[in-house]
Amino acid sequence: NLVPQNHILILRKIDNAIDFSEIYLIVNELYCNNNDRMSINPAALFKIVLIQYTYSAYLLCVAHLKK
């Protein structure tokens, strides 16, 4: 609810279109369950990269259209 409905990154549509739970199945063997250190949520890491890419592509389009 923190993201506005008309947000430029359409995060709600991305979240509804992609099943991020599959990421846990893919990386499950790469994480150690008993090292007493908190790991970074792999789905959150993937979302961060996806948002960075999407936003960068948007800025490039906007810059190109302004020329």
Side-chain angles (χ1 to χ4, degrees), residues 10-20 47:
I10 56 173
L11 295 177
R12 286 190 178 89
K13 290 183 181 180
I14 290 171
D15 208 28
N16 291 334
I18 300 173
D19 182 12
F20 290 102
K47 288 177 183 182

Side-chain angles (χ1 to χ4, degrees), residues 35-60:
N35 68 359
D36 295 330
R37 290 183 289 173
M38 299 270 304
S39 64
I40 298 173
N41 183 333
L45 286 174
F46 184 81
K47 288 177 183 182
I48 290 168
V49 172
L50 184 61
I51 290 167
Q52 287 175 330
Y53 175 80
T54 305
Y55 191 64
S56 295
Y58 169 77
L59 289 178
L60 287 173

Side-chain angles (χ1 to χ4, degrees), residues 3-43:
V3 179
Q5 290 292 335
N6 61 350
H7 194 271
I8 194 76
L9 294 176
I10 56 173
L11 295 177
R12 286 190 178 89
K13 290 183 181 180
I14 290 171
D15 208 28
N16 291 334
I18 300 173
D19 182 12
F20 290 102
S21 65
E22 293 291 321
I23 293 172
Y24 297 106
L25 298 174
I26 295 168
V27 301
N28 188 36
E29 294 180 4
L30 303 174
Y31 281 80
C32 179
N33 291 327
N34 60 358
N35 68 359
D36 295 330
R37 290 183 289 173
M38 299 270 304
S39 64
I40 298 173
N41 183 333

